[in-house]
Amino acid sequence: MPDRSFLHWPFFDDRHRDLAQRLEAWCAKNLPADHHDVDAACRELVIMLGRGGWLKPTAIDTDNPAPLDVRTLCLTRETLARHDGLADFAFAMQGLGTGAISLFGSDEHKKWLAKTRRGEAISAFALSEPRSGSDVANMDMTATRDGGDYVLNGEKTWISNGGIADLYVVFARTGEAPGARGISCFLAPADTKELEIAERLEVIAPHPLARLVFNEARLPASAMIGKPGDGFKIAMSVLDVFRSTVGAAALGFARRALDESVARASERKLFGAPLAEMQMVQGHIADMALDVDAAALLVYRAAWTKDMGAVRVTREAAMAKLFATDKAQEVIDKAVQLHGGDGVRRGHIVESLYREIRALRIYEGASDVQKVVIARQVLSEFRQA
Ligand SMILES: Cc1cc2nc3c(=O)[nH]c(=O)nc-3n(C[C@H](O)[C@H](O)[C@H](O)COP(=O)(O)OP(=O)(O)OC[C@H]3O[C@@H](n4cnc5c(N)ncnc54)[C@H](O)[C@@H]3O)c2cc1C
């Protein structure tokens, strides 16, 4: 049984504790999904999560608008990740893909949200390009005004849900100013003419991923989310909400690795005694438990700060993502070690956690980039003092 004591921390309300309990029961009954066909599995997971009502927190309810609750997003990601990485992915992308619409969309754009919250439409967030992953402000893709339309040209790559999404939130250079101030954000339905899924990408923990090509793809001016030149600000605001949730997913993977290791060390007998009685093994278990709790404190601190009305949580979210993902990697590596040969055996839960965690230290801002972000914040606070 995973440790639930953190749910009593002051970061949470009773509704969060209730959600965690109900979702745990749902996961135990419905997960893990069959991942044999990853596209089909993802589509099915979105439908299942939608029917269960679990996707509602991923986007605002237009009938009853309230800010996105980051603690709910984090708790849901942590719980899903502990049971099934692909279920966490399916949930997370519904939020990341529609974040710009929830925060900045027009009433017309927001019509999509009822569908994504019910699991009837799948969303994607298309920011990265072959030449600009970390260096987002340097993007090449253009959107040129032509009468009542914008014409999009360029490529997006590493796009999660690419190939199965119904809508893409796309960022392109509109040229109001150089660099970050000349980018705008658009809503492109998947059936947009001249939007092509040019390549499907395979990674170590399979999930739907693609390179997209826009070749004179025409969108009405009303497809723009926010104002011309606001795209970079919109992307950063979306990441400000969702970055801590990447830490929460890592926390879920790490917690699962710890649970599996505790069970294994307690059951496995070596040299006449359970593995858990060896002090060096206890040292590993202690390090893992410490990293899990410290990561949880940073993740839920960031989520709580955002939910309490902070306009931006750049520093808190960067710390949560950096620490939780890097430490989860270490925790899972220790779990592999404690499982011996089984730890690297294809299909073993610990082996899949080892593959699942890696990309989280790269996407939504690589670990090195998070360090730069944290240092900048700390230094600017010193200069302002
Ligand atoms: C599985 C997966 C899913 C993804 N999903 C999406 C998605 O849905 N939508 C989307 O838009 N993108 C997505 N991405 C893209 C992801 O955001 C980029 O891969 C990431 O931003 C890194 O960009 P890059 O791959 O071009 O690496 P680069 O930008 O070339 O960076 C390579 C490395 O250089 C180092 N580095 C970079 N900048 C700095 C710096 N300032 N200081 C110090 N070191 C630095 C880091 O170690 C970094 O990992 C996904 C990526 C993966 C792997």
Side-chain angles (χ1 to χ4, degrees):
M1 183 65 188
D3 177 23
R4 314 304 287 150
S5 59
F6 73 98
L7 290 169
H8 298 289
W9 290 351
F11 297 126
F12 300 108
D13 299 335
D14 282 344
R15 67 195 162 94
H16 298 115
R17 291 182 260 274
D18 175 59
L19 168 112
Q21 197 179 6
R22 285 185 296 108
L23 181 58
E24 185 65 36
W26 185 88
C27 289
K29 199 168 157 208
N30 294 286
L31 300 178
D34 174 4
H35 294 191
H36 188 67
D37 173 342
V38 83
D39 284 5
C42 240
R43 285 198 185 94
E44 183 58 26
L45 279 164
V46 170
I47 292 169
M48 282 165 58
L49 289 164
R51 282 196 190 130
W54 305 113
L55 295 177
K56 287 182 185 169
T58 60
I60 60 158
D61 177 359
T62 46
D63 294 332
N64 192 10
L68 298 171
D69 188 77
V70 186
R71 286 166 297 172
T72 298
L73 294 170
C74 286
L75 263 180
T76 307
R77 286 201 70 176
E78 182 191 333
T79 309
L80 291 173
R82 194 156 38 72
H83 287 269
D84 183 350
L86 201 60
D88 163 60
F89 167 81
F91 171 84
M93 283 314 303
Q94 291 299 92
L96 186 66
T98 56
I101 304 174
S102 283
L103 299 179
F104 299 96
S106 66
D107 289 346
E108 195 60 28
H109 301 143
K110 284 180 180 157
K111 286 182 182 162
W112 278 98
L113 301 183
K115 285 188 168 186
T116 59
R117 293 173 81 243
R118 286 198 300 260
E120 293 165 6
I122 295 179
S123 66
F125 177 80
L127 181 66
S128 303
E129 298 184 4
R131 238 175 42 87
S132 61
S134 307
D135 190 7
V136 171
N138 199 24
M139 71 171 57
D140 293 315
M141 181 152 156
T142 56
T144 311
R145 187 80 195 232
D146 181 25
D149 295 339
Y150 278 93
V151 181
L152 276 62
N153 279 296
E155 281 187 23
K156 293 287 168 186
T157 194
W158 300 116
I159 307 309
S160 298
N161 279 341
I164 68 163
D166 298 289
L167 70 144
Y168 294 88
V169 165
V170 187
F171 297 83
R173 184 164 297 290
T174 36
E176 290 72 22
R181 284 174 293 123
I183 293 168
S184 301
C185 176
F186 298 89
L187 194 166
D191 60 5
T192 300
K193 283 200 184 105
E194 311 308 340
L195 157 52
E196 183 202 346
I197 308 300
E199 185 186 2
R200 295 299 299 270
L201 308 173
E202 288 188 21
V203 286
I204 53 174
H207 67 258
L209 204 60
R211 179 168 64 88
L212 318 178
V213 171
F214 293 76
N215 185 8
E216 300 283 303
R218 202 166 268 276
L219 292 173
S222 60
M224 185 182 283
I225 300 174
K227 295 195 206 74
D230 275 358
F232 187 81
K233 188 184 84 184
I234 292 174
M236 293 307 121
S237 302
V238 171
L239 293 175
D240 206 53
V241 173
F242 288 96
R243 189 163 276 148
S244 359
T245 79
V246 181
L251 177 60
F253 293 145
R255 223 186 264 288
R256 179 67 182 265
L258 173 61
D259 293 346
E260 295 291 333
S261 301
V262 168
R264 174 81 173 201
S266 304
E267 286 154 13
R268 174 97 168 147
K269 287 208 170 92
L270 286 183
F271 310 104
L275 207 50
E277 287 185 14
M278 294 179 187
Q279 284 196 341
M280 215 183 298
V281 172
Q282 291 175 2
H284 287 319
I285 301 276
D287 286 343
M288 293 161 88
L290 185 60
D291 286 343
V292 163
D293 270 15
L297 281 163
L298 282 172
V299 165
Y300 291 113
R301 189 264 304 244
W304 176 84
T305 307
K306 185 78 181 167
D307 289 344
M308 291 304 108
V311 181
R312 296 295 287 260
V313 285
T314 310
R315 177 168 163 271
E316 292 86 348
M319 284 184 172
K321 195 216 172 223
L322 171 66
F323 189 86
T325 57
D326 278 7
K327 289 299 174 185
Q329 181 88 57
E330 290 177 21
V331 168
I332 293 166
D333 189 60
K334 288 193 174 84
V336 169
Q337 195 69 18
L338 290 175
H339 278 75
D342 279 342
V344 290
R345 190 170 177 180
R346 196 179 291 273
H348 194 286
I349 177 67
V350 165
E351 178 266 348
S352 73
L353 292 169
Y354 192 73
R355 288 183 290 102
E356 290 277 3
I357 188 59
R358 194 60 187 87
L360 278 66
R361 297 173 59 211
I362 296 172
Y363 63 61
E364 291 190 42
S367 294
D368 319 68
V369 176
Q370 301 310 323
K371 284 188 188 167
V372 174
V373 170
I374 294 164
R376 273 195 199 137
Q377 291 278 316
V378 172
L379 291 168
S380 83
E381 280 156 23
F382 175 77
R383 284 185 203 115
Q384 281 162 22

